[in-house]
Amino acid sequence: MPRILITGANRGIGAELTREFRSRGSEVLATARGSGGEIALDVSDPASITDLAERMADVELDTLVCNAGLYPDKGHDLADGFPSDMWAEAFAVNVTGVFLTVQAFLPLLRRANLGRVAIISSQMGSSTRAPGGSYIYRSSKAAAVNLGRNLAVDLKPEGIAVGIYHPGWVRTDMGGQTAEISVEESAKGLVDRIEGLSLENTGRFETWDGREHPF
């Protein structure tokens, strides 16, 4: 039975990814900050990441899904919005938290026949799609794409594949109720992509429905 760890699994896309993977027969370790998840993991806290990885030191992990994310600057105005502490908080979760989580769980992924890392980014991080606004979220998600691309290069010789994904504009608390697709559609597509992730397509930035997204 494949064993999968998902960050930010207490609501939205993370919760639905948990349900979808389990429906397909995988064992899912659903983590979230505080008491919101089945397993406590705060990706903005390096000690929390290290503690969980050490407690799981003897476990084999087939897939790590870095889903936890923040969109704190929605609706902010260029004239007086986007405070520095908001930048720090978002990057701590959306970028640094992804890297530290991958780094800490690498020993567990190395034990799998094919270890997989899935990074949930966003098309809002694409440099070719830049309509303005949401500077913090856009910048952090662009950094997450870049991080995934570089990890894919370094981890390929170890037999670990890395995929970066745009989940779609999803009807969640973050996406809003006017968004284009349901959380169920997004999760099913993402799980299809993650289950199809291999060393042949490592490093790609793809949409939830399988289209390659420009960077």
Side-chain angles (χ1 to χ4, degrees), residues 167-185:
W169 183 19
V170 187
R171 291 189 290 273
T172 61
D173 290 343
M174 183 183 292
Q177 293 309 302
T178 60
E180 294 175 343
I181 62 172
S182 69
V183 69
E184 293 83 5
E185 290 176 281

Side-chain angles (χ1 to χ4, degrees), residues 5 7 41-43 45-59 61 64 66 96-111 117 151 155 160:
L5 188 147
T7 67
L41 174 63
D42 182 351
V43 300
D45 179 0
S48 177
I49 298 170
T50 301
D51 177 66
L52 182 58
E54 288 177 348
R55 287 190 283 120
M56 294 177 57
D58 297 328
V59 171
L61 188 64
L64 172 63
C66 296
T96 310
V98 173
F99 177 78
L100 293 179
T101 302
V102 173
Q103 185 181 52
F105 286 93
L106 265 180
L108 285 68
L109 290 163
R110 289 181 177 125
R111 297 195 188 102
V117 175
L151 283 171
L155 294 178
I160 297 172

Side-chain angles (χ1 to χ4, degrees), residues 89-174:
E89 181 185 23
F91 270 76
V93 174
N94 296 354
V95 187
T96 310
V98 173
F99 177 78
L100 293 179
T101 302
V102 173
Q103 185 181 52
F105 286 93
L106 265 180
L108 285 68
L109 290 163
R110 289 181 177 125
R111 297 195 188 102
N113 183 46
L114 170 64
R116 295 185 177 104
V117 175
I119 297 173
I120 309 302
S121 182
S122 170
Q123 70 178 10
M124 289 179 71
S126 171
S127 296
T128 62
R129 182 186 173 94
S134 298
Y135 298 106
I136 296 174
Y137 186 72
R138 291 185 191 280
S139 297
S140 65
K141 288 301 186 178
V145 174
N146 185 277
L147 173 61
R149 294 272 291 170
N150 283 283
L151 283 171
V153 173
D154 287 338
L155 294 178
K156 186 174 183 178
E158 297 195 48
I160 297 172
V162 181
I164 311 105
Y165 303 102
H166 165 54
W169 183 19
V170 187
R171 291 189 290 273
T172 61
D173 290 343
M174 183 183 292

Side-chain angles (χ1 to χ4, degrees), residues 60-81:
E60 178 182 298
L61 188 64
D62 297 281
T63 304
L64 172 63
V65 181
C66 296
N67 168 74
L70 293 179
Y71 185 178
D73 57 326
K74 186 183 295 186
H76 272 234
D77 185 77
L78 182 56
D80 57 8

Side-chain angles (χ1 to χ4, degrees), residues 17 20 24 183-193 208:
L17 285 172
E20 184 64 25
R24 301 188 189 196
V183 69
E184 293 83 5
E185 290 176 281
S186 175
K188 287 178 180 178
L190 288 170
V191 172
D192 286 343
R193 306 284 80 71
W208 65 280

